[in-house]
Amino acid sequence: MEDIKAYIESGILELYVLGDITHDEKLQVEAMAAKHPAIKAELDEIERSMEQYAEHNAVEPNEQLRGRILNSLLTNLGDDSTFNKAEDFEDNVIALPASKPTNFYKYAFAACLALLIASGVALMNLYNKLQQSNTQLAVLQADKQHFANRVNFVENELGVLRDTTFRFLKLKATPKAPVGASIMIAWSKEKHKVMVDMANVKMPVNDKEHQYQLWALVGGKPVDLGVFDANPDSTDMKEMKTIAAVKTDAFAVTLEPRGGSVNPTMDQMMVLGKF
Amino acid sequence: MLALRNREKIAIEALYDMYSSSLYGVISRIIIDTPTAEDVLQETFVKIWNSFASYSTEKGRLFTWMVNIARNLAIDKIRSKDFKNQNKNQELENNVTFIDEQRNTVYNPELLGIKELVETLKPEQKSILDLVYFKGYTHVEAADELGVPLGTIKTRLRMAIIQLRKHFN
């Protein structure tokens, strides 16, 4: 009996009730309680008082929690027949976690951010396309301008051909020039115009330092009519300087330093023609 | 009890209505954060429900068994890494409702009687009892915390409980 009293007073029963002992000690206390009714009674007393102490310190949990917890337990039952009663569904409705609204703003913010990024990307794409279109438009306009110029030009040329005041003259090779060299020019006295038909310039290609210069011999004096390049690719009718004289003795072409000379270098005369 | 063992719905409802506030009293003193404490209360009932077969009346009162489950789960929770990290990352917006919820905590009206109860306990008896019962300390940790020998802790604990027994009887 003394042993039992000492055992009770050791405080181990209190620790047992508080769950604060090792597994071995726990088994020992349970064995002792099974053997001695006095220990069992003491344990029961301690448990009762602790239970009442807990009741005195109770805190009522949130009302919603009841539905939530009971539902989670009943869900575990699975196909249990008690589960499908209508009142369970009422419980279902109650269980709303309180922290939902704050999450909403989080998601809303994330959604806004995603939308902003997506719009930004879309805007960049659109901007790039706009830039491309603008470039293409500029290219097309340049092309259009080019063609308009070209049409103008060709019309001018056609005009020359149609104009009856123009007379054509073939300048023939001098001994200086290669055999077969020639240039076709057109001259209108009335309009004081001289054109060189570049498509019919059969001359050696001039180098970078030199150019061909067209002269008119008026009353025995050479008159400068401008320079041109012999380029096999060009097909224009090149309009030269205006010529005031209504009567010329002849037209001649000399090879001069680039830009032309004031007086012709007579020993470089390549072609010559008279009306 | 039989209904519980047969896993009937009415039994778990009765169990919840009888004990949830007492268990929550213990849990919510260990875990300050309301949503976490509520989670632990739920885990507690799940565990009670699932391991009810392992409880036997010979081992002691039902509440003792349940409160130990609750206390262990609560202590596991606050010592888990997850919970520590979560505490560091408390967001501002969440704290607003958190504080609101704390204000709204429903106190058991019977708590008003606790004052008179506390007067029956000496301060050192109450502090040791609450450390072990409500804060989840082991008696060894409590001895460290209060700076008194282990034997003294055990004696005070016993005296506190004897005092409680007198009070309740």
Side-chain angles (χ1 to χ4, degrees), chain B residues 16-165:
Chain B
Y16 184 87
D17 292 340
M18 276 172 74
Y19 294 115
S20 63
S21 59
S22 293
L23 293 177
Y24 192 63
V26 174
I27 292 167
S28 64
R29 278 175 178 79
I30 298 175
I31 298 174
I32 308 299
D33 177 46
T34 306
T36 313
E38 289 178 347
D39 284 347
V40 171
L41 183 63
Q42 179 168 4
E43 284 169 31
T44 304
F45 273 99
V46 170
K47 194 163 181 185
I48 289 168
W49 189 236
N50 288 338
S51 56
F52 197 77
S54 74
Y55 168 72
S56 77
T57 43
E58 290 133 43
K59 283 185 183 171
R61 294 176 64 79
L62 178 61
F63 182 76
T64 307
W65 180 71
M66 291 195 303
V67 82
N68 280 336
I69 287 176
R71 194 188 300 111
N72 287 338
L73 285 175
I75 292 167
D76 285 352
K77 181 67 90 179
I78 57 167
R79 290 187 183 163
S80 74
K81 207 177 163 197
D82 196 30
F83 184 78
K84 283 176 189 164
N85 285 342
Q86 192 191 325
N87 253 2
K88 284 178 197 157
N89 296 337
Q90 280 284 351
E91 284 172 44
L92 190 63
E93 51 168 329
N94 284 345
N95 267 339
V96 179
T97 48
F98 173 60
I99 290 164
D100 283 349
E101 280 165 16
Q102 273 200 328
R103 283 209 193 114
N104 291 342
T105 307
V106 188
Y107 284 103
N108 190 338
E110 286 177 38
L111 268 186
L112 298 176
I114 203 84
K115 204 174 170 196
E116 141 216 7
L117 171 64
V118 167
E119 277 156 15
T120 70
L121 286 178
K122 291 181 190 159
E124 74 265 20
Q125 289 173 343
K126 180 160 167 55
S127 66
I128 171 66
L129 190 61
D130 286 353
L131 271 183
V132 176
Y133 201 56
F134 286 133
K135 291 291 171 193
Y137 280 62
T138 67
H139 64 283
V140 182
E141 287 167 342
D144 271 357
E145 176 79 18
L146 299 176
V148 291
L150 217 53
T152 314
I153 290 289
K154 284 190 194 174
T155 315
R156 278 190 199 167
L157 209 50
R158 177 164 161 74
M159 287 308 147
I161 292 172
I162 287 172
Q163 206 65 46
L164 283 179
R165 280 159 66 177

Side-chain angles (χ1 to χ4, degrees), chain A residues 123-143:
Chain A
L123 195 68
M124 281 305 288
N125 275 342
L126 219 60
Y127 179 73
N128 283 343
K129 275 185 188 160
L130 188 70
Q131 288 285 70
Q132 280 176 2
S133 302
N134 277 345
T135 316
Q136 280 177 343
L137 208 64
V139 169
L140 285 180
Q141 260 170 351
D143 266 7

